[in-house]
Amino acid sequence: MTHCLIFIVLLATLVSLGSALAGLGGNDDEGNDYTWGAKVATSTLIAQETISKRKVLLQTTTRTYTLTQAAATPKTIEYIRITDLKRKRGATAEITDGGVGSTSVTIRFTSARNSGIKSQIEIWGA
């Protein structure tokens, strides 16, 4: 009987600990989707790419995406959409240079601790 009670207490402790660790460093329910600007009928797709990077054990990972256009015919960025493809413990994104109203943009992606990066970026402009 004592062994059974110890087993049940130990099992409950492990379940509680597992739930607590799963919630560290990220959003468990939804991905981190972002939009900047507005897409209008005259907007055309400038770039579309999937940004990914593998996880590093017990650390956050970062990846930087930079859009530079040909100097001959650059389009002004009107709309940026980032879709988190991981949905759980996905990466955050922040514009560090350029963006809407510019012809270039630099975006820094940062993962949750012990998680990777997998996001799709779409850039529209005219």
Side-chain angles (χ1 to χ4, degrees):
M1 180 70 171
T2 306
H3 292 301
C4 185
L5 184 59
I6 291 172
F7 177 74
I8 291 173
V9 169
L10 185 60
L11 184 62
T13 303
L14 288 174
V15 169
S16 297
L17 182 59
S19 298
L21 288 176
L24 290 177
N27 185 354
D28 283 336
D29 298 330
E30 299 177 7
N32 296 315
D33 296 341
Y34 299 90
T35 58
W36 290 277
K39 184 168 56 168
V40 295
T42 58
S43 297
T44 58
L45 186 62
I46 299 172
Q48 181 177 19
E49 188 171 337
T50 299
I51 308 299
S52 60
K53 188 169 182 181
R54 297 182 89 133
K55 71 178 180 177
V56 177
L57 186 63
L58 300 176
Q59 296 181 21
T60 61
T61 58
T62 59
R63 174 116 190 247
T64 302
Y65 170 83
T66 302
L67 169 74
T68 52
Q69 301 182 63
T73 57
K75 296 182 179 180
T76 301
I77 297 170
E78 296 176 334
Y79 178 73
I80 301 170
R81 180 172 72 182
I82 297 173
T83 306
D84 183 6
L85 301 176
K86 288 186 71 77
R87 303 315 306 168
K88 290 186 179 223
R89 299 178 48 78
T92 60
E94 89 177 285
I95 294 177
T96 58
D97 190 36
V100 175
S102 178
T103 57
S104 65
V105 65
T106 300
I107 302 170
R108 179 183 167 112
F109 294 87
T110 304
S111 75
R113 186 169 308 281
N114 202 35
S115 186
I117 299 169
K118 189 170 183 184
S119 298
Q120 182 177 17
I121 183 169
E122 290 182 10
I123 302 173
W124 295 76

